[in-house]
Amino acid sequence: MDYRVENMTEIDKLPSGQPKINSVELRGITKCFPGVLANNDIDFDVHCCEVHALLGENGAGKSTLMKILYGLYHQDEGEIYVNGKQVRISSPTDAIKLGIGMIHQHFMLVPTLTVAENVALGLSSSRAPLTDLDLVSERINKLADTYGMHIDPNAFIWQLSVGQQQRVEIIKALYRGAALLILDEPTAVLTPQEVDELFVIMKQMVEDGYALIFISHKLHEVVEISDRITILRNGVKVGTRPTSEVNKKELAKWMVGHNIDFITSTNQMERGECRLKLEKINCQSDRGKSGLKDVDLEAFSGEILGIAGVSGNGQRELAEVMSGLRKIDSGHLYLESEDVTGFDAGQLTEMMMSYIPEERMRDGMIKNFSVAENMILREHQQPKFSHNGFLKLKEIETHTEQLIEQYQIKTPSQKTLVKTLSGGNIQKALLARELSRKPRVVIAAQPTRGLDIGAAEYVREQLILQRNNGTALILISEDLDEIFALSDRIAVIYEGKILQILSREQATRETVGLLMAGVIPQN
């Protein structure tokens, strides 16, 4: 099965000494799930020294196709060829032996282990039965230096920002000798600066002889980094074209089947009362250091307050303090003039605050619960859904069906487990639960992260609708395009401090960019 041992020459190897993958072909791949034809007779290929982008809406079949290539799923029909030789990939172990690595959209890391322990997990030790984490750490440092992904091998995963965790995933794949790397939404968790750094890494890998498959919803990134583009729609391959022959507008239409009107918040609303106020808030981060430092903020009815900043500068702490998930060390939190300092998430929920968390699968949904069960997580104890400790199943079914229709959630049924839905439909379900409650305050942290164009525009449309209905909305996003498109005011956070709050008229990319780097512009 391991084609790499046959007649290898120096030209067939990567700089690391690993054998090169010259080509991978998927022919006639078909995969069915109950009620869903995920892939229908799809052909796809990738070659060394190229970036082949795979585009499509959430649920189009991209991740399923790549999970087949990586051995997480097995195709119902079709064949896979590596360097012209047919192979059977029954597990990720088979894929890794063939030099195929995958960086998943939802990270496959153990939070309570260190970086080195995660990288070494599942691999045999050179000192068995003892571990060789010092050697693993040394190799991690060499890989990190080679590709500019500096990371502490001794840091625990739970201590790292989302962007840092992604670098660990990439290092883990390279450590295992990947010659073909599948990158599933790699930029969804990165800031613009980190995206630039990733693209430098990818270009260097392509020059070194790697083959890269790049899955993304950000069309400007696809146009910038890829050599070829394949588009899937509803499980079917629409076509493959050289990147040089297409532009972003054509790609958007090709991907969704119709023109996309990009949403912006252009109509200025009359600002209402102060709904949420933070006064000199201080709290600790997960690393035991200062997370927020004397934060003052006000969010008003009928406005979107955007929070801009580079990843890891206190955004998570800010969201969790406002939603009652993180303890406040000092300062006060007010909800419509009522002091709610120290209130937990349940109490704030009762007061009609909604929270769309950054990590939707960790903090927003229970993946092994059905769609219907997740829809009532916030209010299952309310009289409309339960009586004397028993759930009112008919009322829950009716409520869920209404939300599925209203928020255009694609699911085989409301009994389907949430973990089987695409990222976009999981986010729509989360949005449906949080916004259908008619909240007074909405905290939305990275609400469009990892979503395709259609799903992202739908989410933005719903947020603007909430604002227009008088809700106070705090939008925490690392996507500057999103911040500028939706925000009425922009607050820039740096190292746990709010450096400046700008009106829509005052805010420019240059000004916000300087503030994100900790530089206060001089007038």
Side-chain angles (χ1 to χ4, degrees):
M1 179 174 179
D2 193 347
Y3 74 94
R4 300 183 299 165
V5 299
E6 300 178 24
N7 302 318
M8 285 295 172
T9 64
E10 287 304 313
I11 200 169
D12 294 316
K13 294 184 179 181
L14 299 168
S16 63
Q18 288 295 125
K20 184 188 295 184
I21 288 180
N22 293 314
S23 67
V24 171
E25 295 179 72
L26 292 84
R27 302 178 187 172
I29 299 296
T30 297
K31 178 65 178 178
C32 295
F33 296 104
V36 178
L37 180 58
N39 293 150
N40 186 7
D41 193 26
I42 293 177
D43 295 333
F44 181 85
D45 65 271
V46 62
H47 304 278
C48 67
C49 303
E50 80 160 344
V51 178
H52 193 155
L54 188 59
L55 282 178
E57 295 184 273
N58 289 107
K62 308 182 302 297
S63 293
T64 298
L65 188 67
M66 291 301 101
K67 286 178 180 178
I68 288 171
L69 177 57
Y70 190 59
L72 289 169
Y73 297 152
H74 190 266
Q75 69 270 26
D76 299 325
E77 298 177 20
E79 300 89 35
I80 300 174
Y81 294 82
V82 177
N83 287 359
K85 178 181 177 181
Q86 185 174 349
V87 297
R88 179 178 175 83
I89 302 177
S90 301
S91 68
T93 301
D94 291 341
I96 291 167
K97 287 179 180 178
L98 287 165
I100 299 170
M102 185 170 183
I103 311 302
H104 300 270
Q105 182 179 351
H106 301 294
F107 303 142
M108 304 293 184
L109 299 171
V110 181
T112 54
L113 298 184
T114 67
V115 171
E117 289 167 341
N118 270 276
V119 170
L121 198 61
L123 299 178
S124 58
S125 169
S126 60
R127 300 173 183 165
L130 302 177
T131 61
D132 55 359
L133 292 179
D134 54 339
L135 298 178
V136 173
S137 297
E138 183 180 342
R139 177 83 192 285
I140 288 172
N141 285 328
K142 287 180 180 178
L143 286 170
D145 289 341
T146 299
Y147 291 104
M149 296 181 289
H150 303 295
I151 205 84
D152 180 6
N154 298 315
F156 288 97
I157 297 299
W158 65 267
Q159 294 178 317
L160 303 180
S161 68
V162 177
Q164 291 171 322
Q165 289 181 36
Q166 188 206 52
R167 292 172 211 164
V168 176
E169 285 279 26
I170 294 174
I171 288 173
K172 188 170 73 172
L174 295 180
Y175 189 96
R176 284 163 166 74
L180 162 63
L181 200 58
I182 304 164
L183 298 154
D184 189 358
E185 299 289 346
T187 65
V189 296
L190 303 182
T191 64
Q193 297 93 329
E194 290 172 323
V195 171
D196 291 339
E197 293 170 4
L198 175 64
F199 284 0
V200 170
I201 294 167
M202 290 174 66
K203 288 171 183 175
Q204 183 61 54
M205 292 178 72
V206 166
E207 288 182 12
D208 288 347
Y210 286 88
L212 302 179
I213 299 173
F214 180 63
I215 302 176
S216 178
H217 296 123
K218 300 180 180 179
L219 300 186
H220 66 282
E221 294 178 355
V222 168
V223 170
E224 178 183 346
I225 196 65
S226 68
D227 299 292
R228 289 189 296 151
I229 300 171
T230 291
I231 290 186
L232 305 184
R233 191 191 307 153
N234 296 324
V236 176
K237 177 180 173 179
V238 177
T240 299
R241 292 174 69 181
T243 307
S244 58
E245 295 181 2
V246 295
N247 58 42
K248 290 184 287 185
K249 188 174 181 180
E250 291 171 336
L251 284 175
K253 185 175 181 180
W254 199 24
M255 188 166 73
V256 302
H258 56 81
N259 289 321
I260 291 288
D261 296 321
F262 294 99
I263 301 296
T264 57
S265 176
T266 54
N267 58 320
Q268 195 78 26
M269 297 289 294
E270 183 175 345
R271 195 167 76 176
E273 64 180 341
C274 179
R275 288 279 178 86
L276 188 69
K277 182 178 180 180
L278 287 76
E279 191 176 87
K280 301 296 180 187
I281 293 289
N282 290 273
C283 76
Q284 297 294 303
S285 71
D286 290 334
R287 303 182 190 185
K289 299 179 180 180
S290 180
L292 296 178
K293 304 170 186 176
D294 288 332
V295 169
D296 290 321
L297 273 180
E298 289 182 311
F300 294 87
S301 169
E303 79 158 357
I304 296 178
L305 173 63
I307 309 293
V310 176
S311 177
N313 274 272
Q315 293 96 321
R316 175 181 291 181
E317 290 85 352
L318 180 61
E320 291 180 353
V321 159
M322 291 189 293
S323 59
L325 292 172
R326 185 177 293 267
K327 180 184 175 183
I328 297 172
D329 292 336
S330 64
H332 292 274
L333 180 68
Y334 297 94
L335 184 60
E336 292 186 337
S337 301
E338 181 177 348
D339 191 337
V340 294
T341 309
F343 281 34
D344 61 30
Q347 291 171 299
L348 293 177
T349 295
E350 294 287 341
M351 300 177 73
M352 301 313 293
M353 177 184 284
S354 285
Y355 177 41
I356 301 166
E358 174 182 353
E359 295 284 346
R360 54 180 171 259
M361 289 303 288
R362 188 190 72 180
D363 301 326
M365 310 291 271
I366 299 178
K367 63 182 181 179
N368 289 316
F369 275 19
S370 69
V371 173
E373 289 167 334
N374 273 285
M375 287 298 192
I376 62 164
L377 281 182
R378 287 279 206 177
E379 301 176 301
H380 66 276
Q381 77 285 3
Q382 296 294 328
K384 61 180 177 180
F385 294 131
S386 65
H387 180 67
N388 291 334
F390 293 93
L391 293 175
K392 298 179 179 179
L393 299 181
K394 185 63 178 176
E395 284 77 0
I396 293 171
E397 180 182 345
T398 301
H399 173 73
T400 303
E401 206 58 50
Q402 289 173 347
L403 294 184
I404 288 173
E405 182 178 350
Q406 180 181 348
Y407 286 84
Q408 304 168 25
I409 302 165
K410 294 180 181 178
T411 176
S413 81
Q414 58 177 263
K415 296 180 181 179
T416 300
L417 298 185
V418 158
K419 67 180 180 182
T420 66
L421 301 184
S422 67
N425 285 303
I426 292 171
Q427 190 71 341
K428 284 183 178 182
L430 176 56
L431 214 68
R433 185 186 72 211
E434 296 300 315
L435 300 187
S436 65
R437 302 173 54 243
K438 295 182 174 56
R440 293 185 286 178
V441 176
V442 173
I443 301 158
Q446 319 296 346
T448 62
R449 172 176 283 167
L451 304 188
D452 62 56
I453 293 174
E457 291 305 300
Y458 179 83
V459 169
R460 290 167 184 155
E461 184 181 349
Q462 294 300 314
L463 296 181
I464 291 173
L465 185 61
Q466 285 290 314
R467 183 205 70 167
N468 294 347
N469 288 336
T471 303
L473 202 147
I474 299 98
L475 171 65
I476 302 173
S477 178
E478 291 158 20
D479 184 342
L480 270 186
D481 291 332
E482 184 167 79
I483 288 288
F484 276 96
L486 301 184
S487 303
D488 299 294
R489 291 186 298 141
I490 298 174
V492 182
I493 190 168
Y494 176 75
E495 293 187 347
K497 297 180 181 178
I498 300 296
L499 288 193
Q500 202 163 322
I501 301 175
L502 306 168
S503 67
R504 184 199 294 269
E505 293 74 27
Q506 293 174 314
T508 66
R509 286 184 173 275
E510 181 183 4
T511 302
V512 173
L514 286 171
L515 288 166
M516 287 171 65
V519 179
I520 299 178
Q522 300 297 318
N523 293 328

